[in-house]
Each structure stands twice: as C-alpha cells, then as structure tokens.
Amino acid sequence: MAPKSIDAVDDQIKDVIQDLFQIQVATHNYAGPQTQQELVRLITRLAGSLATLSNDASALPDQIPPEIVDYVDSGRNPDIYTREFVELVQKSNQYLKGRSEAFTRFRDELAEEMVKAWPEMKTDVDNVLQSKRPEQEKKEEVAVQTNGTSS
C-alpha cells in the first residue's frame, strides 16, 4: 500500500468532522426509534472513517518534532512556539557572534603586544595571524589590494 499524501489525510479529517457534525444534528433532532437506525449508521460510518484516518495517518512520514506536538497537546499555539524558537536562535547567534568578535579582538591585541614585547617575532606573528584569519577577511584584503594596485 502506497503511503497517503497529506492532502488525502486532510480530506479524511474533514470527513471525520463532517461525520461528527451529522451525529450532532441527528442527536439534536432525535425523534425516538425512527432516528435510532440513522444514529447507528452515522456512528458506524464515523468508526470506519476514524479507522481509515488512523491507518493512513500512521503511514505519513514524521516531520513534526515531538516538542511541537507536546506544545499543541497542552493547548498552546504552535506559532508562539515557532516565534520563541526563532528568538532563542537569534539570541544564541548574537551571543556566539559576540564571542567570536571578542576572540578576534583578543587575537589582534595579543599579536600587537607580542610584537611590542618581542619585535624580532613580528614575521612569525604576522604569519600566524595570516593563517588564522577567516577566509572572508582574506578575500576582502585581496580585493582591496587588487583595486589599490590597478588604479
């Protein structure tokens, strides 16, 4: 049996909702024994719809993180979860960017102080700095040197 698409499962959910609505209407308009057979038929149809939905939905690939399912099960809005997650990632990125920039400044200041203390090591310090510099900085430096020599 080929796995069902999300659209097919969505249609089955709509059918279950429709079956529930019809049961609600039949219950509200209950007129005694003559409507009892109709209720039995609707409940049997609902049970079949739920069984089909359960089988087809279990064949779908799991793409929803369990944390979101738990979040929704507790009655909370998944959009709020997404917003909170994005804010947390942004905060973490800002923190890591700050650390990276601090280490870069520390590296440069340490190199400067080492050259002041041991001037004979300037070439070695420059070589270490050149090898540890991020690729983007190297590309920008080459571009500046290229533009500076061509004019």
Side-chain angles (χ1 to χ4, degrees):
M1 177 178 173
K4 297 288 184 177
S5 71
I6 292 178
D7 292 333
V9 172
D10 188 45
D11 289 340
Q12 290 172 353
I13 291 172
K14 289 175 185 176
D15 290 341
V16 168
I17 292 170
Q18 181 63 33
D19 290 343
L20 288 168
F21 177 74
Q22 289 176 350
I23 290 171
Q24 178 186 8
V25 169
T27 304
H28 180 71
N29 296 330
Y30 188 75
Q34 60 267 33
T35 56
Q36 183 175 359
Q37 287 297 347
E38 179 66 14
L39 272 174
V40 169
R41 185 187 65 78
L42 290 172
I43 292 173
T44 304
R45 180 175 166 192
L46 174 64
S49 296
L50 288 170
T52 303
L53 175 63
S54 178
N55 289 336
D56 291 347
S58 64
L60 288 176
D62 293 334
Q63 297 177 344
I64 301 173
E67 297 85 20
I68 293 176
V69 174
D70 294 340
Y71 201 84
V72 172
D73 283 345
S74 66
R76 299 181 74 191
N77 187 341
D79 291 337
I80 294 171
Y81 177 87
T82 303
R83 186 184 73 229
E84 289 173 352
F85 182 76
V86 168
E87 289 172 356
L88 181 66
V89 169
Q90 286 175 337
K91 183 186 286 186
S92 175
N93 284 346
Q94 288 174 347
Y95 173 75
L96 291 176
K97 181 180 182 222
R99 282 185 62 170
S100 176
E101 290 173 352
F103 278 117
T104 300
R105 285 193 306 268
F106 174 72
R107 177 198 66 202
D108 294 342
E109 289 178 24
L110 179 63
E112 187 178 310
E113 293 299 321
M114 286 179 68
V115 169
K116 285 181 186 176
W118 299 290
E120 66 275 4
M121 294 186 66
K122 179 173 179 20
T123 307
D124 294 329
V125 170
D126 288 342
N127 288 339
V128 169
L129 286 177
Q130 193 66 20
S131 69
K132 297 299 180 187
R133 191 173 296 152
E135 288 299 316
Q136 185 62 31
E137 286 181 25
K138 290 179 185 178
K139 289 177 184 175
E140 289 172 0
E141 185 177 289
V142 169
V144 168
Q145 288 174 354
T146 305
N147 291 339
T149 58
S150 62
S151 41

